[in-house]
Amino acid sequence: MVRGVGVAAGAVTFGVYLVGSGRSYDYDSSETVGSVIATPSLLDPFRRQLVYNNHPLFSFLDHLVYSAGGRSALDLRILPILFGAAVVAIVVAWCAGRWGIVAAATAGLMLGANSSFAELSRSVRGYSLLCLSAVVSTLLVDRLLTKPRRSLSAAYIVVVAAGIATHVYMLLLLLGQIGIVVARSGATRAWLTRWAAAIVLGALAYVDIGAAMVRSASRAGHVFRPRFPLALLTTLLGGTRTPLVVLGLLALVGAAAVFSRALLMSAAAVTAGVLVIWLWLAPLELYPRFLIWLAPPAALAVAVAVRRFPLALPLVAAAAFLMVRLDAAHWSQDPLPDRQAAVLVRATQSRGGNPCVFPLIRGSLLAYAHAPKEVTRPTQLRNCELVLTLAVDPQSLRLAARRDFEHHWLLKAWTPMIVFSRLPQDELLSARGHGA
């Protein structure tokens, strides 16, 4: 019964997340696909890095899909969607066994409908695999504390290592697990061995790219983001601020209901790690999605609150409806018109022309075309036959392009692009097939 509920929840999640899976890639997914997945060698995910966009283990697994002939956006989205659905299935099954069907349905609804979790599970990135590693390894901690076995120990090491090899922020989750273990049994030699083995095994994924990541971080400098905590809470509780207060209060009620010394130490360890990163290290690249693995415990906290106060269920249902409405608005819409833009880039190149892009576009084209030259100064425009830009690019560049180019039009998507061209659109597209 419990497993059946979980499987059903996972199957529904998988089916819903497949909607719109053939749409174009978002910026980071396109950069990941073009740089480390759609490449000749299976080892490229462990040898290349663009700041932090490559999640090595996930990229390797999706490279296997690509190498087996899965070249479309739908093909490369299957694994992240499957991992996201598995997270929902496991959370629902565990919750059903512990607190019943109503709580399980609430947890599944809160997690599956979370627009941030859903969007990341439909991106060709490693966030859903990170969440899966976090959930499974945490459940293994509980099993090892009650019935330690060598097979469970080996599984725990492998799962934690998989999370670290996918994203280094898995180390924060490991801090939380250490807090649980210390509170319940103490850090024994067996646990120290497991943690060391998992870290060493996971770190192997960064042998060739770790130095580049450190250099990127040092060059980027430090940026304090005062709104990061609010952005993180919004991400964990649905991706929109509309239900934030209601769900936040329910999560607090649920957390208080299951309060224990172990959970307190775990939360304190994770919080301390986040504060160090946010306030002291203050990296330029710090986004709430790095901590998306906190979404499952947030959903479970809301589920506990609903179990204790069933009258809160309509509020949760209304919040989930708002989340789905927000996310469904662009399920089938291209995040960026990168496929359309790539057609123009290739057409310009086939004529012997020089296509260019403004700074915020280049990475979004890597999955579809050879990256055009990036323009950062108005004087560089004289060498371009075509320029692609976004509305958020520097105004000085956009105004210069408007002056220098006779033709311009819009490529429609969730985030549209503006095209500036020396040729009209129909004449430019007539070049397709001539040398391309």
Side-chain angles (χ1 to χ4, degrees), residues 62-204:
D62 230 20
H63 204 307
L64 291 175
V65 175
Y66 177 84
S67 299
R71 305 297 173 90
S72 70
L74 171 59
D75 295 332
L76 295 180
R77 283 189 171 111
I78 291 296
L79 277 185
I81 291 175
L82 183 63
F83 294 144
V87 172
V88 174
I90 292 170
V91 167
V92 168
W94 183 85
C95 191
R98 188 164 184 126
W99 295 312
I101 296 299
V102 173
T106 301
L109 190 62
M110 285 301 305
L111 184 57
N114 182 315
S115 54
S116 297
F117 179 82
E119 182 61 26
L120 291 173
S121 295
R122 288 195 288 259
S123 298
V124 187
R125 311 293 305 290
Y127 292 109
S128 57
L129 177 56
L130 172 66
C131 284
L132 183 60
S133 299
V135 169
V136 173
S137 63
T138 301
L139 293 180
L140 285 172
V141 167
D142 184 64
R143 295 287 298 275
L144 283 166
L145 286 170
T146 54
K147 296 179 180 179
R149 292 200 303 270
R150 185 172 297 179
S151 59
L152 290 177
S153 184
Y156 174 75
I157 292 170
V158 170
V159 173
V160 172
I164 294 171
T166 299
H167 201 292
V168 293
Y169 272 64
M170 179 72 180
L171 292 170
L172 285 178
L173 183 276
L174 184 58
L175 281 180
Q177 294 177 348
I178 291 172
I180 293 174
V181 172
V182 170
R184 289 177 57 177
S185 69
T188 63
R189 179 179 296 180
W191 278 107
L192 293 175
T193 301
R194 291 175 189 130
W195 295 327
I199 292 172
V200 170
L201 185 60
L204 292 177

Side-chain angles (χ1 to χ4, degrees), residues 32-33 35-50 53-64 66-67 165-166 204-210 213:
T32 298
V33 170
S35 301
V36 296
I37 293 178
T39 63
S41 175
L42 275 172
L43 295 178
D44 285 339
F46 302 110
R47 299 187 299 203
R48 301 179 179 180
Q49 183 61 282
L50 290 175
N53 268 3
N54 174 25
H55 300 161
L57 178 59
F58 168 78
S59 297
F60 171 74
L61 295 176
D62 230 20
H63 204 307
L64 291 175
Y66 177 84
S67 299
T166 299
L204 292 177
Y206 302 95
V207 169
D208 284 344
I209 63 176
M213 295 171 68

Side-chain angles (χ1 to χ4, degrees), residues 13 81 90 92 161 174 177 181 215 247 290 362 399 405 428 431:
T13 302
I81 291 175
I90 292 170
V92 168
L174 184 58
Q177 294 177 348
V181 172
R215 286 194 298 271
L247 296 180
F290 294 174
R362 186 175 183 274
L399 290 176
F405 292 83
L428 175 61

